[in-house]
Amino acid sequence: MLTIRDLSVEIRRGDRVVRPVFGVSLTLDRGETLGIVGETGSGKSMTGLAIMGMLPAGGRVTAGSIDLDGRELVGLAAAQYRAIRGNDVAMVFQDSMTALNPTKRIGEQVAEPVRLHRGASKREARARAEEMLALVGLPRPAERLDDFPHQLSGGMRQRVMIAMALVCEPRLVIADEPTTALDVTIQAEILDLLDDLRSRLGMSMILVTHDMGVIARHADRVGVMYAGRVAETGPTPVLFGRTRHRYTQALLSSIPSLTQDRREELFSIPGAPPDLSVVQAGCPFAPRCAAVTDRCREEPPPPAAEAEADDHAYACWHPADGPAVRGRARLVVPAPAVTEPRLRVVDLRREYPAGSAGLLGGRRTVKAVSGVSFEVAAGETFGLVGESGCGKSSLGRMLVALDRPTSGEVIFDGEPVTRMSARALGPRRTQLQMMFQDSNASLDPRMRIGAILREPLAIQGVGTRAQRTARAGELLRDVGLPASVLERYPYELSGGQRQRVGLARALALDPKVLVADEPVSALDVSIRSQVLNLMRRIQLERGLSSVVISHDLAVVRYLADRVGVMYLGKLVETGTTEEVYGSAAHPYTAGLLAAIPDADPEAPRAPAAARVRGELPSPIDPPSGCRFRTRCALASELCAQKEPPLTPVTGTHHVACHHPLRREESRS
Amino acid sequence: MTWYVLRRLAVSLLVLLGISAVVFLMLHLVSDSPGRVVLGQRASPEAVSDFNRAHGFDRPVVVQYVSYLGQLLQGDLGRSYKLNENVGTLLALNAGRSAMVSLAGLVLALLIAVPLGVLQAVRRNSVVDRVATAASYVLYATPSFLVGLLLIAVFSQTIPIFPAEASQSHSPWVVFTDPRAMALPVITLAVTSVAVFAQYQRSAALDQLGQDYIRVARAKGLPERLILTRHLLRNACLPLVMLVGTLVPTLLAGNLIVESLFNYPGLGLLFLNSLQREDYPVLLAYTLIGGVLTVAGNFIADVVVAAADRRIELST
Amino acid sequence: SGGGGTTKDIADSYTAKPTQTGTPKQGGTATVALTPGLSPNYIYPYPPAAANGTVIARGQLWRSLYRPSGEGDQVADAELSLAEPPVYNPGRDTVTIKMKDYKWSNGKPVTADDVVFSLALLKAALAESPANWSFYTPGQFPDGVSAEAAAPDTLTLKLETAYNPSYLLSMLTLLYVLPSTEWNIAATGGPHLDYKQPKNAKAIYKYLTKESESQATFAGNPLWQVVNGPYRLKSFDPTTGSFSLARNESYSGPGESRLDQIDFKAFTSAAAVLNQFKAGNLTVGTLDSSFATQIGELKAKGYNVYGAPAPARFDSLVINFANTVDNFDKVIAQPYVRQALQRLIDQQGYIAGRGIYNGAGSPNYSTAGTGSPYPPAFGDQPPYPYDPAAAEKLLTDNGWKVAPNGSTTCQRPGTGPGQCGADIPQGQKISFTLASASSPAFVGARDVAFASAAKKLGIDVKIVTKSLNYMYANYGNTFAPATKNEWAMQDYGPLYLAAGYPSSNTVFNTEGSFNLGSYKNAEVDKLIGASTFGADEKSLSAEVTSLAQDLPVLFLPTPHTLVVWKNTLSGPQSSFNALISFLYTPELWYFHG
Amino acid sequence: MTAPDVTAAPSLEAETPAERNPVSIRSVLRGLRRHPLGLAGGLLLLLIAGFCFLGPLFYQTNQTDVDLVNAALPPGPGYPLGTDTNGFDVLGRLMSGGQVSLQIGLLAALFATTIGTVYGAVAGLAGGVVDGFMMRLVDVMLSIPFLFFVLILSARFHADALSLSLVIGGFSWLVSARLVRGEVLTLRVREFVLAAKLMGASRRRIILTHLIPNALGVIIVNITFQVADAVLVVAALGFLGFGLTYPTADWGSQLASGVTYISADYWWLIYPVGGCIILTVLALNLLADALRDAVGRRAD
Ligand SMILES: Nc1ncnc2c1ncn2[C@@H]1O[C@H](COP(=O)(O)OP(=O)(O)OP(=O)(O)O)[C@@H](O)[C@H]1O
Ligand SMILES: Nc1ncnc2c1ncn2[C@@H]1O[C@H](COP(=O)(O)OP(=O)(O)OP(=O)(O)O)[C@@H](O)[C@H]1O
Ligand SMILES: [Mg+2]
Ligand SMILES: [Mg+2]
């Protein structure tokens, strides 16, 4: 139905020319889903935009053809293209907050294509919009038609986006990272919705994503892109089962999965993707490839067009065989010594004043953290997971005394730090360090890396300037960066490098506790594994107690010895990693786990029933009783009335649920 | 929305109270013995102090302020020292004319600047854009009275098509009834604002053009013209609305200069003449009204923007 | 372009008085430009000080007992006055005045009682506050003056002190005659009161001033329609102060009153007046002297332009003899210093200067002004003409070391000849502040020129620009002694002594209520006494001469007042000449073909 | 812009730059090099400053002695730009007037920025009720038409270069205060500041080594804009008759006195000085915009 042949795109910006798409060939059959996957900047979006005829200013298709049902799209006149757009080909964008016009009612926005392409009257279009919104699962669509985008939650907005794209029943829909901005739980719902609609409306779909798991679960065919080229393409099972391209293979190996052996180090791809404005000879992946030869460097491999058997094609001189390479090193994980807990959190609460207070007092509060208790032993890593907005970061900030709790205590080495004066806190500061999420924001843009790393030592008055510089060099070495980085400014480093600097700085004062808030979520997959490995190694080498905060369950599983699952300011389940991931006792934990797509098309799908439905309620007025009950399949009367306390299931495994799952249930 | 408006209103009232206090105190510092100003050069010191006592100008400032505030609340702006007239009447007599000419200038400026700014954004870096930007820079750097003078020099002296003086009629509608006589003042007001507005509109439109919803509109197959009118325009105008709201003092200042330049008898000229005459009640009242207008401008702009973009009320 | 001809050409272009021409036509409307910044806002002829009033059409609605003369060589215009010249008894303490046959607009005759009423109201105003009449000196007219109507057409004034007849006449030109039978009420529709009782006069005065506060009713209030002048108010615009006059059909004085209506237009700036002239919208008006270069163009557009210095006007730098900053009082007390400073003023230069008078000015060295009936004895040979060398010599001869462009200092202190003078220490500098009015433009320009000339002689003049009203309110030792040290000299533009009788009674008298600079001179006081109370009508000349020699102020040239009128309008030459003194006589004007 | 606008100072070139670089002289110069207009503005400004401050060394004129004979001469031999109505050489007067204008502008801007920075920083750091009160006060002051007040003050008090700068500065610190407060508020919660706090850095150190240097760029840009605005305000005051008087003269009062003679056709008293004002403000604005790009932050 859609055949892209040898497509090349060029974007001219002043005297710089970028070639984000280069000789791309892909095909898509009616009713099928084609997944396009790849790292940031690999040209996925540009390919999609090229099909839509919506390349950015200065961009044009330089070669190749796009054939949609026998109609050539390249070179089509603007007016004709407009008639196709939104009618035959539609697109779903990533960020529904910015993709919806903030000052127009959603009804109008959804109805607009109908009026445009179908020439429908206002009333007809509105009716059609309502019908469509119902179809995408927006509750009470008739009332919602007159809402503004900001009045909807993220998931709802994404549904509206989808309704808008599908309202004219296009033959092809291009979904560009439709769920990246959403929580896993909602991501699963949206992707299922798209699948469902595709089959119901008989459309074809191009699903652009950087998540291999999503591809494995939702795509019929895959195109793996790297540096503007298709590295490998083929039907999903074939591509995952018999991976040929070295890049695909490396990519698959570097993702921490829920099933992998935790003691294995992750595979990581060295280096960074190439600059697309520089024309390379040879294979673009060559500089990062383990199996590289001179030929790879000199001669570009033939484009992945000629299909092998099963439509499987790849552009590689030295194809691999098999799905994955595993990390070579195995980490020795010592059993944590049972000692006095280093960090103890007792019934911690934090409430923020809500933005809009009434005119006369009556301030409402956001209950960000509502009574959390746990302990972290020396040398132990405690992982905190939960959906966005459940209070993880708020908790993390209190752990390192950056914020004072509304009530409760953080006890560090037997001393409560929460009520300490700034002066008393001073020397203890060095013991409690934090690694931030946004490596860009956490490094002073005005300071060189050397100064940044010397700063903690200077503040604490450690050593002479020369000694500090030497120490900074050591720290850099520890995190695997060359000493030359000392003289650079943060913006001269890549994201991964910056994150390493952030880690080095946190380690500069030899802390006993390290809190890492979303340490890798801003990083691309290939770089993420480098940082994860590093963190893991440092934790083990230094015997740090750490708290790792992430919304990504796989990341936490990889780094943490023990895990706490947070829901709306409360800890609903704690236990060792094996306990929680192996036999989740809380329906929420189980739901989270079920929502994560495994990068294995053969993996069994969790039944939709096990999933977490709907979205996080407002932390301003949390539900009574069990906070999860509004989204829980097992909720009963009791749940609404009584708040379940955290009670032991087995040994170290605790759960706060009136109806905990048993081992067998959580598996299914 | 209602809550938002009420809350904004409460803040505005607070600010107004602050303004009245600051302005009153400052003017009190400048002129603390009205008796001399009122009675003139030949009055004896006794007559002056009698006058001050009779009118309560010998009381502590705070007391005077409170009683002034009390009068204000009853709509009494005081009596001019020099014009044998109530300040309220004086202002009312002149307000219409000033408002009309200011509004005409503002509307004209917006009518030019909004499309121009959008055009510049759409045709970014084109010749049109560059020329308009350059012109804006130069205009921005030109004192407005010089703009007016140049206009007079060109359109009234070299090619005499417009009179150098504004209409002296005191109908507020003179902008419409005698457009020829009002052309230069209105153009002066507009020209100086266009520079700012167009550039502001341009960057706002550029901001919006980079937003995803514009791409979405394109993906729907909407022609560019409709994208601009249906989607871009409203969003891109909101920052300008905010700007105009905060620009009231500047508009008033522009009015002052234009009225003085074209000898247009309105509030601005009244203010300047009162300044010469040390007619403090008029100065005080008009400065206060300027403050009120500014606060009102901000308030209206906020409400308009909040009504158009409902996210605002949540974020404040 | 630029520069134009010499300023001399400009001056020559308007000195000729256009003659009366043409065959008079009946009717027409004349549009007269009011002096910018002086828009009227009051109708009752004696506005209280608190109203700061400028009166509408002064002298045209209500005539004064004697009409001031526009010619300058006489006090009153006998023909246009309401009464025959006063007759004195030998002791000069009783004056008998015979009323002419004038009528009120309601047909009643103007009687001696009306004058008595008018005097009673003036006294009532002064009882309220002495500031209510700016010509008042406590103890003098109208104090000690009692009026009586011996007959309806005969007025007798009894004086406690005898006045110089010319002085008294000049006071009587300021006495507006008001309708005693219509205005003797204290409430609208109220009973007619006996105004001879001060209590009643006070109530009447309050009522009339109160009525005058409501500008919107000026034209409609029947009160104000009872007039004895040639015109009555037809409309008044409170926004601008513009007004229109219509003929008073009962007016019985001289003049044909051919015009149907006179529109007086208020203006906010002199430039606006010029623009209206250029647009041909004005029939009569004055031109600011800074626009003297425009005269040629106006003539080409069909205007007559005539200019001359206003009678009894003098421009000066008023000296503050009580300013103690930097010992200024000691320094300026020395006559030679004043003489030296006067010699620094290049009057011809200022007049010719393109930035100052543009040729439109006349030299003046006395308080009498030009063309006065009381000229100084030295005629046109001023005692201290421009002569910087002589100025320098004056200083060096008196013990100063002159340092051009530096600081001239006193070297020989002491009171002997060749020494600086009393209380001037060695090393004393001459340095003072000159407050200069921010408008009109020529004031600033001439002060700068003066300061620059002083600097060349090592005298430091600091110019501070102030608004006229600020100066009026704060710079005068008589009323603002607290600020006496803020100014050493001030230039607020013109000073008018009563035209026709330029006595400096209030201005340079030691006790004068308007003696801004605390000038003291016993001899001058004596001469003033003679001109005010003495019998010699010419004694004023001696006073003028003495002042010109002692320099209580530094004299500056007098700018010309430029009168502009359409050449389709004509009338007696004198009626246009009177415009220079802001006296309007439109009843004498007419349009011609 | 319509009159002296210090309140709004909306940016003329308000595009968000790609990334935020540290502010060092070098990087700013580098940024300027990429910004030909800004470079032109900077050079023009140097040229103007040179003209005003060094010009009198090469072209000496008498700016104190009134010369009534040679007043208001059109450009000609001996007077390349003619003379004004006091007989001062216009070219020389442009130089001395420029000195005064630039000095007032700079002084006012420095004054405003100093107050504004301190005020804004205190408000931003204090937060809470203090911040609320301080900012409401700024709201109040910003709502009072600035020009009105300056006019009232200068009608009452004699204006000289210093008092004029103080008055203008005294009213234009409000914008800086808002700006700096906003900057402090965003910087204060930036993660690198939190990181420093975690290391035990004192408040002082955080302010000195992180907040101020990072806010400096914005402040410098603001100063540049404020100089431009102050030059315009002084011009407007001059026009309305409240400028400086003999012996000092700034461009504004020069222009204003020239304007009085517009009907006399003394064009050389208007256009050269008008051009000087325009060029200076233009140069300053171009420079400020370029600096802002180099600093990598909008100034509003
Ligand atoms: N407007 C543009 N002008 C110039 N270059 C661009 C533009 N948009 C994208 N590029 C470049 O094109 C390349 C491909 O971009 P594209 O958006 O297709 O990547 P992507 O695979 O979708 O990445 P992501 O996962 O981040 O969305 C990138 O290197 C990017 O730098
Ligand atoms: N400073 C603050 N003021 C007010 N509310 C806040 C503040 N910080 C966080 N919140 C609110 O507290 C709740 C918890 O926020 P927090 O950042 O701790 O969540 P999180 O679990 O870290 O989410 P994410 O995964 O998105 O980072 C949210 O509803 C958030 O809006
Ligand atoms: Mg993309
Ligand atoms: Mg977080």
Side-chain angles (χ1 to χ4, degrees), chain A residues 414-429:
Chain A
E415 280 184 280
V417 289
T418 32
R419 309 263 166 253
M420 263 183 196
S421 69
R423 175 162 312 161
L425 204 55
R428 284 177 192 79
R429 280 278 191 216

PDB file of all heavy atoms in Angstrom, chain A residues 414-429:
ATOM      1  N   GLY A 414      21.486   7.470  62.737  1.00  0.00           N
ATOM      2  CA  GLY A 414      20.965   7.613  64.083  1.00  0.00           C
ATOM      3  C   GLY A 414      20.597   9.027  64.478  1.00  0.00           C
ATOM      4  O   GLY A 414      20.028   9.260  65.527  1.00  0.00           O
ATOM      5  N   GLU A 415      20.887  10.025  63.590  1.00  0.00           N
ATOM      6  CA  GLU A 415      20.547  11.398  63.963  1.00  0.00           C
ATOM      7  C   GLU A 415      19.472  11.944  63.038  1.00  0.00           C
ATOM      8  O   GLU A 415      19.605  11.863  61.822  1.00  0.00           O
ATOM      9  CB  GLU A 415      21.775  12.291  63.837  1.00  0.00           C
ATOM     10  CG  GLU A 415      22.709  12.179  65.004  1.00  0.00           C
ATOM     11  CD  GLU A 415      23.843  13.177  64.815  1.00  0.00           C
ATOM     12  OE1 GLU A 415      24.768  12.861  64.037  1.00  0.00           O
ATOM     13  OE2 GLU A 415      23.798  14.244  65.431  1.00  0.00           O
ATOM     14  N   PRO A 416      18.435  12.518  63.614  1.00  0.00           N
ATOM     15  CA  PRO A 416      17.408  13.106  62.748  1.00  0.00           C
ATOM     16  C   PRO A 416      17.964  14.361  62.083  1.00  0.00           C
ATOM     17  O   PRO A 416      18.476  15.240  62.763  1.00  0.00           O
ATOM     18  CB  PRO A 416      16.270  13.442  63.705  1.00  0.00           C
ATOM     19  CG  PRO A 416      16.847  13.427  65.063  1.00  0.00           C
ATOM     20  CD  PRO A 416      18.116  12.629  65.041  1.00  0.00           C
ATOM     21  N   VAL A 417      17.903  14.415  60.765  1.00  0.00           N
ATOM     22  CA  VAL A 417      18.465  15.573  60.059  1.00  0.00           C
ATOM     23  C   VAL A 417      17.387  16.581  59.683  1.00  0.00           C
ATOM     24  O   VAL A 417      17.677  17.700  59.291  1.00  0.00           O
ATOM     25  CB  VAL A 417      19.218  15.161  58.774  1.00  0.00           C
ATOM     26  CG1 VAL A 417      20.501  14.471  59.141  1.00  0.00           C
ATOM     27  CG2 VAL A 417      18.365  14.288  57.895  1.00  0.00           C
ATOM     28  N   THR A 418      16.137  16.179  59.798  1.00  0.00           N
ATOM     29  CA  THR A 418      15.091  17.051  59.282  1.00  0.00           C
ATOM     30  C   THR A 418      14.944  18.349  60.044  1.00  0.00           C
ATOM     31  O   THR A 418      14.662  19.373  59.467  1.00  0.00           O
ATOM     32  CB  THR A 418      13.743  16.324  59.302  1.00  0.00           C
ATOM     33  OG1 THR A 418      13.744  15.433  60.404  1.00  0.00           O
ATOM     34  CG2 THR A 418      13.539  15.566  58.041  1.00  0.00           C
ATOM     35  N   ARG A 419      15.127  18.296  61.332  1.00  0.00           N
ATOM     36  CA  ARG A 419      14.890  19.520  62.092  1.00  0.00           C
ATOM     37  C   ARG A 419      16.180  20.258  62.395  1.00  0.00           C
ATOM     38  O   ARG A 419      16.202  21.189  63.178  1.00  0.00           O
ATOM     39  CB  ARG A 419      14.183  19.195  63.419  1.00  0.00           C
ATOM     40  CG  ARG A 419      12.957  18.349  63.262  1.00  0.00           C
ATOM     41  CD  ARG A 419      11.688  19.174  63.235  1.00  0.00           C
ATOM     42  NE  ARG A 419      10.568  18.389  62.773  1.00  0.00           N
ATOM     43  CZ  ARG A 419       9.998  18.513  61.573  1.00  0.00           C
ATOM     44  NH1 ARG A 419      10.438  19.402  60.720  1.00  0.00           N
ATOM     45  NH2 ARG A 419       8.993  17.755  61.207  1.00  0.00           N
ATOM     46  N   MET A 420      17.252  19.809  61.796  1.00  0.00           N
ATOM     47  CA  MET A 420      18.541  20.424  62.110  1.00  0.00           C
ATOM     48  C   MET A 420      18.640  21.824  61.546  1.00  0.00           C
ATOM     49  O   MET A 420      18.120  22.122  60.490  1.00  0.00           O
ATOM     50  CB  MET A 420      19.654  19.588  61.488  1.00  0.00           C
ATOM     51  CG  MET A 420      20.277  18.638  62.456  1.00  0.00           C
ATOM     52  SD  MET A 420      21.612  17.818  61.611  1.00  0.00           S
ATOM     53  CE  MET A 420      21.846  16.470  62.729  1.00  0.00           C
ATOM     54  N   SER A 421      19.350  22.680  62.260  1.00  0.00           N
ATOM     55  CA  SER A 421      19.598  24.018  61.740  1.00  0.00           C
ATOM     56  C   SER A 421      20.605  23.913  60.606  1.00  0.00           C
ATOM     57  O   SER A 421      21.318  22.915  60.478  1.00  0.00           O
ATOM     58  CB  SER A 421      20.170  24.898  62.836  1.00  0.00           C
ATOM     59  OG  SER A 421      21.470  24.456  63.139  1.00  0.00           O
ATOM     60  N   ALA A 422      20.640  24.942  59.805  1.00  0.00           N
ATOM     61  CA  ALA A 422      21.544  24.930  58.662  1.00  0.00           C
ATOM     62  C   ALA A 422      22.981  24.697  59.125  1.00  0.00           C
ATOM     63  O   ALA A 422      23.753  24.001  58.471  1.00  0.00           O
ATOM     64  CB  ALA A 422      21.441  26.242  57.901  1.00  0.00           C
ATOM     65  N   ARG A 423      23.315  25.275  60.282  1.00  0.00           N
ATOM     66  CA  ARG A 423      24.683  25.136  60.734  1.00  0.00           C
ATOM     67  C   ARG A 423      25.004  23.707  61.142  1.00  0.00           C
ATOM     68  O   ARG A 423      26.007  23.143  60.722  1.00  0.00           O
ATOM     69  CB  ARG A 423      24.941  26.092  61.913  1.00  0.00           C
ATOM     70  CG  ARG A 423      26.328  25.906  62.498  1.00  0.00           C
ATOM     71  CD  ARG A 423      26.741  27.067  63.330  1.00  0.00           C
ATOM     72  NE  ARG A 423      26.504  28.337  62.644  1.00  0.00           N
ATOM     73  CZ  ARG A 423      26.442  29.505  63.279  1.00  0.00           C
ATOM     74  NH1 ARG A 423      26.586  29.549  64.581  1.00  0.00           N
ATOM     75  NH2 ARG A 423      26.249  30.617  62.615  1.00  0.00           N
ATOM     76  N   ALA A 424      24.088  23.154  61.905  1.00  0.00           N
ATOM     77  CA  ALA A 424      24.325  21.785  62.362  1.00  0.00           C
ATOM     78  C   ALA A 424      24.362  20.832  61.182  1.00  0.00           C
ATOM     79  O   ALA A 424      25.066  19.830  61.178  1.00  0.00           O
ATOM     80  CB  ALA A 424      23.224  21.371  63.333  1.00  0.00           C
ATOM     81  N   LEU A 425      23.610  21.190  60.164  1.00  0.00           N
ATOM     82  CA  LEU A 425      23.521  20.325  58.999  1.00  0.00           C
ATOM     83  C   LEU A 425      24.813  20.361  58.199  1.00  0.00           C
ATOM     84  O   LEU A 425      25.198  19.386  57.560  1.00  0.00           O
ATOM     85  CB  LEU A 425      22.359  20.830  58.139  1.00  0.00           C
ATOM     86  CG  LEU A 425      21.700  19.843  57.200  1.00  0.00           C
ATOM     87  CD1 LEU A 425      21.235  18.631  57.964  1.00  0.00           C
ATOM     88  CD2 LEU A 425      20.530  20.526  56.518  1.00  0.00           C
ATOM     89  N   GLY A 426      25.490  21.507  58.242  1.00  0.00           N
ATOM     90  CA  GLY A 426      26.669  21.764  57.417  1.00  0.00           C
ATOM     91  C   GLY A 426      27.563  20.562  57.169  1.00  0.00           C
ATOM     92  O   GLY A 426      27.647  20.087  56.035  1.00  0.00           O
ATOM     93  N   PRO A 427      28.221  20.061  58.198  1.00  0.00           N
ATOM     94  CA  PRO A 427      29.169  18.957  57.972  1.00  0.00           C
ATOM     95  C   PRO A 427      28.489  17.681  57.472  1.00  0.00           C
ATOM     96  O   PRO A 427      29.105  16.902  56.734  1.00  0.00           O
ATOM     97  CB  PRO A 427      29.795  18.748  59.350  1.00  0.00           C
ATOM     98  CG  PRO A 427      28.949  19.497  60.313  1.00  0.00           C
ATOM     99  CD  PRO A 427      28.177  20.513  59.576  1.00  0.00           C
ATOM    100  N   ARG A 428      27.221  17.478  57.839  1.00  0.00           N
ATOM    101  CA  ARG A 428      26.545  16.252  57.410  1.00  0.00           C
ATOM    102  C   ARG A 428      26.151  16.288  55.943  1.00  0.00           C
ATOM    103  O   ARG A 428      25.879  15.282  55.337  1.00  0.00           O
ATOM    104  CB  ARG A 428      25.317  16.005  58.277  1.00  0.00           C
ATOM    105  CG  ARG A 428      25.705  15.473  59.647  1.00  0.00           C
ATOM    106  CD  ARG A 428      24.529  15.287  60.532  1.00  0.00           C
ATOM    107  NE  ARG A 428      24.997  15.061  61.905  1.00  0.00           N
ATOM    108  CZ  ARG A 428      25.405  16.036  62.695  1.00  0.00           C
ATOM    109  NH1 ARG A 428      25.397  17.285  62.267  1.00  0.00           N
ATOM    110  NH2 ARG A 428      25.841  15.770  63.907  1.00  0.00           N
ATOM    111  N   ARG A 429      26.109  17.524  55.425  1.00  0.00           N
ATOM    112  CA  ARG A 429      25.777  17.695  54.017  1.00  0.00           C
ATOM    113  C   ARG A 429      26.619  16.781  53.137  1.00  0.00           C
ATOM    114  O   ARG A 429      26.134  16.177  52.203  1.00  0.00           O
ATOM    115  CB  ARG A 429      26.067  19.147  53.602  1.00  0.00           C
ATOM    116  CG  ARG A 429      25.001  20.116  53.999  1.00  0.00           C
ATOM    117  CD  ARG A 429      23.889  20.070  52.994  1.00  0.00           C
ATOM    118  NE  ARG A 429      22.955  21.151  53.184  1.00  0.00           N
ATOM    119  CZ  ARG A 429      21.651  21.034  52.986  1.00  0.00           C
ATOM    120  NH1 ARG A 429      21.167  19.876  52.584  1.00  0.00           N
ATOM    121  NH2 ARG A 429      20.862  22.044  53.158  1.00  0.00           N
TER     122      ARG A 429
END
